[in-house]
Amino acid sequence: MTAMQILAPELDFLPLPGALAATRVEVTQMQLLGLCQAVRDNGGRLVSLWGEDLRREHGGFRLCTALQYGLSLAIAELPLRADAPTYADLSAIFPSAARLQRATYDLLGLRALGGDARPWLRHAAWPADVFPLRHDAAAAPPSAVEPPPSAYPFVRVTGDGVHEIPVGPVHAGTIEPGHFRFSVVGEKVLRLEERLGYVHKGIEKRFEQMSASDGARLAARVSGDSAVAFSWAYAMAVEAITATTPPARAQVLRGVLLECERLANHLGDLGALGNDAGLAFGLAQFSRLKEDLLRVNAALWAQRYPMDAIVPGGLREDLRAPPSALTSVLHAIADELLRLREIYDNHAGLQDRFMGAGTVSCELAMQLGIVGMAARASGQPQDWRNEFPVPPYDAVDLRPALRTQGDVAARVAVRFEEALASIALCLQWLAALPEGGVSTPLGAAREGELGIGGVEGWRGPVFVALRLDESGRVRRCHPHDPSWHNWPALEHAIIDNIVPDFPLINKSFNLSYSGHDL
Amino acid sequence: MWRLLRQIRRVGLVSEAAPAAEAAPLLNALQEKIRRVFGHALAIRHVDAGSCNGCELEIHALGNPYYNLEGAGIRFVASPRHADALLVTGPVSRHMAEALRRTYDATPDPKIVIAVGDCAACGGVFGTGYATIGRVADVIPVDATVSGCPPTPLALLQGILQAVNTPRAGTS
């Protein structure tokens, strides 16, 4: 009996196949509300929310919610009528459901009654009465002529001396596009409202009709900085549906790939955080270390960013160079990290900018349901590497890097600690790398069966839900980036800080636009 | 402070390392050309028009001490009004098309546009659909493309060189 079953004994949880231990359960509207509330009351959280068009199969739609309570994960499926696809708003229970619900309406036309009805991912690329993820919506553009950008009803802050600063979508640096609307008095930020969806590329529609292997290439490009995490989660979902277990060597090397991705991102951000606080030295030092890692990636995987290394069934190919090439670089980076941490810790100017900036308190973190590295910096000891330890994580002892201050300094400290822990994990795995092949042929796909996959990427849990059709092509794929849960936290973190600290606070989270906008 | 200085001294100048030496002839030629065409440093404005963020990571890498892009007289600027060149990434999403056009219009002539990455060059894995237009050349005029997913920093340097070398109709 899973923990979830204890919360809702009246529901019939069925085990799902695959490496990620989970269950699925069909629910009614009242049961879904009850289950969500019970999960929430007991400290659980919402992992993802998406919809499916099953009118051809079952004559209706389906709303899916992935819920985590302790060490159990359940997918609750709520059937919706074809002529009135509506359900009760869940955002009062899980705040991060609000934007997921709005996106689900924009793409599929499933409406949360009583929720925020403003569009989220839809700006002006398609009309309000077209729902691109429905089977009968054309994959081609709905009209040749682009309508003008739509006006978006931002929430206005009024009062003496309050003014707005609109920023984006094209930002001042080499970063992704999004719009930030600051309401400020003098330098102090009263409110930030985010407007995302600029890089919406129709990824979920693109997945449909792809072969399972082509889908891996697309999954790796949902968010380029998390290519390993997404391609692994996707491969795990395919392997679940096809009853495939990758060879031991591939499993361990997947772990190495994911930890190197975490390390590369933390190195890049630690440098950028120093730079944003006026210490260009940090950027020069850390970007050098990151480059060392990328070059050894190129030697091992033929790609500086190993986007196509993980494929369903295992790996595309074995290491192209001896593992010692990586271990020597990792040892060198570890030495440098320790030295640089001491410099960062003792730099008064830097600490002055880091400490107390962009605070997300432990209570707020729990209330908003934030995830991953940012959650651990706000006292939430959650990490899918511990909670759902798919091999090779099942054989390691990993202690979450935990801080409770929830400010930029805490996120910097967590990143230092995690970067060092990733190096230690890689060295441990590489010292005892299993022999043998790196891929297994896929079994036959079980048509229409739900397959899920998920790993703790460097930002937080990356999750993929997948169904294949009878010929093994993708019928529906929903990739979920952890940024969905953390973007709203950024709006809170900036309150009462000054506008010039925004780049620093933003970088300390470094959330994904592409992974969120899909 | 002494720790910081000692670290700088200990690491030394990494820009002279082997891979950078490979890029050295490229950089010298580029620097010469930039001086001739623009008479000053080449100012680049990057625009993400729908990228997965992979190309951005490699554009960032150009600034690391190994490639030392600023040493070649190239710098990234915050405003298109300060830019000589636009580095555009991504399959252009329909939601970014207008912002891309406005950024292009705000960039003073003479200007060059470099489409960076497979998506910018041809639509890449995302192609054309209800939400994407595809290649950058279908939205604004493009002078050079750099392929790769994502392109390596050396490929980016070559692309910039190619773009500076390509004469443009309507500009001198």
Side-chain angles (χ1 to χ4, degrees), chain B residues 19-104:
Chain B
E22 194 185 313
L26 260 181
L27 283 174
N28 290 339
L30 183 57
Q31 205 167 3
E32 194 45 46
K33 190 82 190 177
I34 289 167
R35 262 197 220 108
R36 225 173 33 242
V37 176
F38 292 102
H40 60 88
L42 180 70
I44 297 183
R45 171 68 251 203
H46 156 259
V47 183
D48 175 343
S51 157
C52 77
N53 201 25
C55 291
E56 281 62 41
L57 298 176
E58 289 295 42
I59 293 173
H60 274 295
L62 280 177
N64 77 35
Y66 286 103
Y67 302 104
N68 188 24
L69 194 68
E70 295 214 349
I74 301 174
R75 64 203 170 88
F76 285 87
V77 292
S79 167
R81 299 198 190 282
H82 304 155
D84 306 308
L86 295 180
L87 219 52
V88 186
T89 60
V92 181
S93 71
R94 289 181 194 277
H95 290 163
M96 274 305 289
E98 184 58 28
L100 176 59
R101 279 190 214 103
R102 288 188 194 178
T103 307
Y104 178 80

Side-chain angles (χ1 to χ4, degrees), chain A residues 372-373 375-377 379-387 397-403 413-415 417-418 421 456:
Chain A
M373 177 270 298
R376 293 190 285 278
Q380 313 297 309
Q382 46 170 282
D383 189 328
W384 274 27
R385 291 178 293 175
N386 287 322
E387 293 163 335
D397 181 27
L398 193 72
R399 217 174 21 180
L402 213 57
R403 292 291 185 281
V414 167
R415 283 167 181 273
E417 212 170 305
E418 291 191 355
E456 182 83 14

Side-chain angles (χ1 to χ4, degrees), chain B residues 73-167:
Chain B
I74 301 174
R75 64 203 170 88
F76 285 87
V77 292
S79 167
R81 299 198 190 282
H82 304 155
D84 306 308
L86 295 180
L87 219 52
V88 186
T89 60
V92 181
S93 71
R94 289 181 194 277
H95 290 163
M96 274 305 289
E98 184 58 28
L100 176 59
R101 279 190 214 103
R102 288 188 194 178
T103 307
Y104 178 80
D105 290 342
T107 310
D109 285 321
K111 57 191 160 197
I112 52 180
V113 175
I114 308 166
V116 168
D118 287 347
C119 297
C122 69
V125 70
F126 302 105
T128 304
Y130 76 90
T132 47
I133 295 175
R135 60 187 198 132
V136 175
D138 288 342
V139 182
I140 56 171
V142 166
D143 299 280
T145 57
V146 184
S147 55
C149 185
T152 62
L154 282 181
L156 285 169
L157 276 178
Q158 272 160 339
I160 295 171
L161 180 62
Q162 184 204 338
V164 173
N165 271 322
T166 311

Side-chain angles (χ1 to χ4, degrees), chain B residues 5-18:
Chain B
L5 293 172
R6 200 172 58 179
Q7 172 75 359
I8 292 174
R9 179 155 172 270
R10 213 180 47 74
V11 173
L13 277 179
V14 294
S15 301
E16 291 170 357

Side-chain angles (χ1 to χ4, degrees), chain A residues 270-412:
Chain A
L270 284 169
L273 281 159
N275 199 48
D276 280 345
L279 187 67
F281 160 87
L283 183 63
Q285 294 289 330
F286 281 102
S287 64
R288 172 179 66 89
L289 298 180
K290 184 176 179 184
E291 179 71 18
D292 290 339
L293 183 60
L294 297 183
R295 286 182 181 184
V296 77
N297 268 349
L300 295 175
W301 307 106
Q303 286 177 311
R304 285 162 54 89
Y305 288 92
M307 289 196 158
D308 303 308
I310 296 180
V311 295
L315 300 178
R316 182 180 60 171
E317 57 180 20
D318 206 337
L319 293 171
R320 289 191 174 198
S324 57
L326 180 55
T327 49
S328 61
V329 168
L330 290 176
H331 278 298
I333 293 177
D335 287 347
E336 294 281 40
L337 263 175
L338 291 172
R339 259 193 290 270
L340 290 170
R341 178 159 72 176
E342 195 153 334
I343 291 174
Y344 267 34
D345 283 350
N346 290 300
H347 195 290
L350 203 59
Q351 291 304 320
D352 184 48
R353 292 288 303 279
F354 285 177
M355 289 170 81
T359 302
V360 177
S361 69
C362 298
E363 295 71 30
L364 184 64
M366 195 181 287
Q367 195 187 338
L368 293 176
I370 73 169
V371 296
M373 177 270 298
R376 293 190 285 278
S378 291
Q380 313 297 309
Q382 46 170 282
D383 189 328
W384 274 27
R385 291 178 293 175
N386 287 322
E387 293 163 335
F388 304 106
V390 296
Y393 293 102
D394 55 345
V396 296
D397 181 27
L398 193 72
R399 217 174 21 180
L402 213 57
R403 292 291 185 281
T404 51
Q405 301 91 325
D407 55 1
V408 173
R411 288 184 284 277
V412 166

